[in-house]
């Protein structure tokens, strides 16, 4: 028995040594084959390059994926002086040259000293399919999902065995659905398969409605010779188009709610100042801009001094923007507006001048270019829904945030002594003054409150729009439209008006375009105001009635 164990151990040792020797011999062979394929990429026509791509993908070499990725990214190039094929990487004003087989750095060269390997659209699709097949069995779920999408687009039938293996071992339902979608696409367009198999694949595709599936089915309908397959594709295409139309409507509703939440934040502060004080504040957009730049300054400080706190940057930015914008609003009211009460035209011109001053001040301090304001990790990414509908986290959070701000404002106005005084001044300023309410004090704090909310709106806008000196210009007209449509000074009217205009704008955009859609909304509001001059929800009170 002891001798038998020694003999078995010797056989196992010999087997291991044989495998290692085979691998050692295979590595130079694979490298040699890879070198020949690279030479074919450099010297051949597009057909030869396609064959080289297939050879590289099937070589099994560890550098195959990096080479194909460099080729599709335009980073695989040839040095004309030596004929050497290299992968280029930017390094300052020069290019770092990397050996494609070993991955080791070779040298550096000027940007014009290398000639990129050219590819066409057909070859680009083949490369994407090859990259997809190389990453279908990756340990990273996101890479497997991206690979499945690449295979779906390339539709290379040679990948079917790898797809079947990947589906069998897949543990993520989300990734498996994408793999099965790719497999169904390959079977649906394969004329060598029986018609029944292709019809089953087409029916499975119809359960995954998106634009790419619709395009594939439309291609089958247009070019299919088999009547049964063509009929199945036509029926599936109708189902996909119906589902896409439904999800498109849902997406339009979400976009409308998103725009409405932005308009609500932008207009609610204006509704307060306009309703209580009767002031047409043309600097309201620039006060929102100050809130956005406050967010930028806080994020820059955090990036420099405490990068681990970046996810909490908005928690610091929101109160800071409220204080900064509210303080600027009180200064504007005390320094300019309080001398112009009862003179609306002069107030409009004065606040317009203030808006120009604020814009130029920001340009002087921060420059005229857009500034980068990042999304915290909890606001990055999106929820992917069927039909290609994507709900981004930043817009979802802004919708929630706008409703929270609105609710807190309603509680402040309804439950606090300051809110009671503000409502009294809104309904009858003279009577409120005769009852001992300091109307000038209320005016200053009200203008500060409205400006502070505008600053918070700027924080929200910084997460979805470019932060620039012209940020507020895009929203000031829409804000006035919301206030007038909803009812001057009525917060519930502002809420209804903001979401109504947001949804109507997004519903009209696909049919009329963004500009014509806004024009139609403006015309509709003008006609509505002719019928109801005080908007949807008119304020009540003796002073208002006069």
């Amino acid at each position: 028995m002891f001798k038998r164990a020694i003999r078995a151990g010797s056989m196992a040792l010999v087997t291991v040594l044989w495998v290692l020797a085979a691998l050692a011999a295979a590595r130079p062979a694979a490298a040699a084959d890879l070198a020949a394929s690279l030479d074919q990429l450099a010297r051949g026509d597009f057909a030869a390059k396609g064959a080289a791509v297939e050879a590289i993908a099937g070589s099994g070499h560890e550098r195959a994926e990096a080479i194909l990725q460099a080729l599709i990214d335009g980073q695989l190039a040839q040095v004309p002086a030596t004929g050497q094929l290299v992968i280029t990487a930017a390094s300052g004003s020069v290019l770092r040259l990397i050996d494609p087989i070993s991955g080791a750095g070779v040298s550096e060269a000027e940007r014009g000293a290398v000639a990129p390997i050219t590819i066409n659209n057909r070859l680009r699709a083949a490369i994407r399919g090859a990259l997809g097949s190389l990453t279908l069995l990756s340990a990273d779920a996101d890479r497997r999902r991206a690979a499945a999408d690449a295979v779906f687009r390339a539709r290379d039938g040679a990948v079917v065995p790898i797809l079947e293996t990947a589906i069998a071992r897949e543990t993520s339902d989300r990734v498996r659905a994408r793999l099965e979608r790719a497999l169904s696409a390959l079977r649906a367009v394969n004329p060598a398969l029986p018609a029944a198999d292709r019809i089953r694949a087409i029916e499975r595709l119809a359960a995954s409605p998106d634009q790419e599936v619709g395009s594939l089915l439309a291609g089958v309908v247009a070019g299919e010779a088999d009547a049964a397959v063509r009929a199945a594709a036509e029926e599936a295409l109708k189902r996909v188009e119906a589902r896409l139309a439904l999800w498109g409507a849902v997406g339009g509703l979400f976009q409308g709610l998103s725009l409405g939440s932005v308009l609500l934040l932008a207009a609610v502060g204006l509704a307060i100042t306009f309703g209580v004080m009767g002031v047409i504040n043309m600097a309201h957009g620039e006060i929102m801009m100050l809130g956005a730049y406050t967010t930028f300054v806080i994020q820059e400080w955090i990036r420099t001094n405490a990068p681990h706190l970046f996810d909490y940057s908005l928690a610091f930015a929101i109160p800071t923007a409220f204080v900064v914008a509210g303080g600027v609003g009180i200064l504007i009211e005390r320094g300019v507006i309080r001398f112009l009460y009862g003179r609306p035209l002069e107030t409009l011109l004065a606040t317009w001048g203030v808006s120009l001053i604020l814009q130029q001040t920001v340009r002087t301090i921060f420059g005229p270019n857009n500034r980068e304001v990042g999304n915290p990790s909890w606001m990055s990414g999106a929820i992917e829904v069927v039909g290609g509908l994507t709900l981004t986290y930043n817009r979802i959070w802004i919708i929630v945030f706008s409703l929270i701000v609105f609710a807190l404002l309603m509680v402040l106005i309804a439950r606090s002594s300051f809110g009671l005084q503000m409502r009294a001044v809104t309904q009858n300023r003279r009577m409120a003054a005769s009852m001992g309410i300091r109307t000038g004090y209320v005016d200053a704090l009200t203008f500060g409150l409205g400006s502070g909310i505008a600053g918070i709106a700027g924080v929200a806008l910084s997460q979805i729009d470019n932060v620039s000196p012209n940020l507020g210009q895009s929203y000031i007209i829409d804000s006035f439209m919301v206030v007038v449509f909803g009812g001057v000074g009525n917060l519930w009217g502002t809420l209804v008006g903001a979401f109504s205009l947001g949804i109507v704008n997004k519903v009209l955009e696909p049919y009329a375009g963004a500009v014509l859609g806004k024009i139609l909304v403006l015309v509709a509001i003008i006609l509505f105001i002719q019928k109801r001059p005080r908007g949807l929800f008119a304020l009540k009170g003796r002073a208002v009635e006069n």
Side-chain angles (χ1 to χ4, degrees):
M1 182 179 293
F2 183 69
K3 292 181 178 180
R4 191 179 301 122
I6 294 176
R7 189 180 300 111
S10 301
M11 290 291 294
L13 180 60
V14 170
T15 302
V16 170
L17 292 175
W18 181 85
V19 170
L20 291 176
L23 290 175
R27 185 177 297 272
D33 292 342
L34 191 62
S37 300
L38 288 173
D39 185 67
Q40 193 173 353
L41 275 179
R43 303 177 187 278
D45 55 14
F46 286 123
K49 289 178 180 179
V53 167
E54 292 181 5
I56 292 171
S59 67
H61 197 278
E62 60 186 9
R63 293 284 300 167
E65 183 181 349
I67 292 170
L68 293 178
Q69 189 64 54
L71 178 59
I72 200 170
D73 291 341
Q75 296 176 335
L76 189 66
Q78 187 178 33
V79 181
T82 62
Q84 183 183 15
L85 209 63
V86 294
I87 295 176
T88 62
S91 178
S93 60
V94 297
L95 293 175
R96 188 162 55 90
L97 306 183
I98 301 168
D99 181 69
I101 297 178
S102 66
V106 177
S107 61
E108 292 183 346
E110 298 295 329
R111 292 182 179 271
V114 295
I117 303 299
T118 57
I119 57 176
N120 57 13
N121 289 335
R122 184 184 297 274
L123 191 55
R124 190 173 287 108
I127 297 170
R128 289 197 181 99
L131 283 170
S133 66
L134 286 173
T135 53
L136 281 173
L137 304 178
S138 169
D140 186 347
D142 290 335
R143 293 192 68 195
R144 295 197 303 273
R145 186 175 185 276
D149 291 340
V151 169
F152 176 92
R153 299 184 187 101
R155 296 167 199 161
D156 181 4
V159 189
V160 168
I162 303 177
L163 263 178
E164 292 173 340
T165 303
I167 292 172
R169 59 180 287 184
E170 185 56 59
T171 57
S172 169
D173 293 338
R174 183 171 64 96
V175 178
R176 183 184 294 107
R178 306 302 282 191
L179 293 169
E180 291 175 347
R181 169 177 173 265
L183 182 59
S184 298
L186 295 179
R187 289 173 174 169
V189 299
N190 187 356
L193 289 178
D197 292 345
R198 298 181 64 193
I199 290 172
R200 280 195 296 270
I202 288 172
E203 290 173 350
R204 284 193 291 269
L205 282 174
S208 305
D210 58 44
Q211 293 290 350
E212 291 182 330
V213 169
S215 298
L216 182 146
L217 292 174
V220 173
V221 170
E224 181 55 46
D226 190 299
V229 174
R230 185 169 62 252
E234 289 175 350
E235 181 62 27
L237 182 59
K238 291 178 183 177
R239 290 165 55 192
V240 169
E241 288 177 342
R243 294 283 297 277
L244 286 176
L246 174 63
W247 287 113
V250 174
L253 177 62
F254 173 74
Q255 292 295 325
L257 291 174
S258 174
L259 176 60
S261 66
V262 172
L263 292 178
L264 176 63
L265 287 172
V268 69
L270 191 64
I272 293 173
T273 56
F274 198 11
V276 175
M277 307 165 66
V279 172
I280 302 175
N281 180 18
M282 296 300 294
H284 190 76
E286 280 59 44
I287 294 175
M288 288 192 290
M289 172 196 68
L290 293 180
Y293 273 98
T294 301
T295 308
F296 165 72
V297 171
I298 288 176
Q299 285 197 353
E300 286 299 299
W301 186 90
I302 289 177
R303 283 192 181 103
T304 304
N305 299 282
H308 61 283
L309 295 177
F310 186 81
D311 279 349
Y312 304 96
S313 59
L314 295 187
F316 299 113
I318 289 172
T320 307
F322 181 86
V323 172
V324 170
V328 171
I330 291 175
L331 289 176
I332 294 174
E333 195 279 335
R334 291 288 87 187
V336 178
I337 293 176
R338 72 187 180 100
F339 302 108
L340 301 174
Y341 285 127
R343 297 154 64 184
L345 181 60
E346 286 88 339
T347 303
L348 187 149
L349 292 174
T351 53
W352 180 61
V354 170
S355 73
L356 296 180
I357 293 172
L358 291 176
Q359 282 189 44
Q360 192 56 47
T361 301
V362 168
R363 283 194 182 92
T364 302
I365 297 174
F366 297 100
N369 298 325
N370 295 341
R371 292 293 180 171
E372 179 187 359
V373 174
N375 293 132
S377 61
W378 49 273
M379 288 186 71
S380 302
I383 301 174
E384 294 187 10
V385 189
V386 294
L389 175 62
T390 301
L391 309 180
T392 56
Y393 288 129
N394 57 353
R395 291 189 176 273
I396 292 173
W397 278 111
I398 288 175
I399 293 173
V400 174
F401 178 67
S402 67
L403 294 176
I404 292 174
V405 171
F406 181 83
L408 292 176
L409 185 60
M410 291 297 296
V411 170
L412 174 67
I413 293 175
R415 301 295 182 182
S416 68
S417 59
F418 170 69
L420 177 63
Q421 294 179 17
M422 188 168 65
R423 284 183 285 136
V425 173
T426 301
Q427 294 182 12
N428 196 317
R429 178 177 292 272
R430 293 181 181 177
M431 182 63 72
S434 68
M435 296 296 293
I437 295 177
R438 297 165 56 190
T439 57
Y441 171 81
V442 172
D443 287 338
L445 289 185
T446 300
F447 202 91
L449 175 63
S451 299
I453 295 174
I456 293 177
V459 177
L461 289 176
S462 71
Q463 300 300 298
I464 59 173
D465 207 342
N466 294 323
V467 177
S468 71
N470 299 320
L471 172 67
Q473 297 295 307
S474 305
Y475 297 95
I476 185 64
I477 302 300
D478 288 338
S479 299
F480 275 110
M481 288 170 58
V482 168
V483 171
V484 173
F485 175 65
V488 175
N490 190 298
L491 295 185
W492 284 112
T494 303
L495 175 70
V496 174
F499 284 109
S500 298
L501 293 184
I503 292 172
V504 169
N505 266 306
K506 291 302 178 181
V507 168
L508 288 176
E509 269 187 17
Y511 306 100
V515 176
L516 182 57
K518 283 195 173 184
I519 293 174
L520 292 175
V521 170
L522 178 60
V523 171
I525 290 177
I526 292 173
L527 295 176
F528 177 81
I529 295 302
Q530 296 295 317
K531 185 70 175 178
R532 291 180 64 94
R534 292 175 185 164
L536 284 174
F537 301 89
L539 286 176
K540 296 179 180 180
R542 293 183 181 179
V544 176
E545 300 293 334
N546 294 331

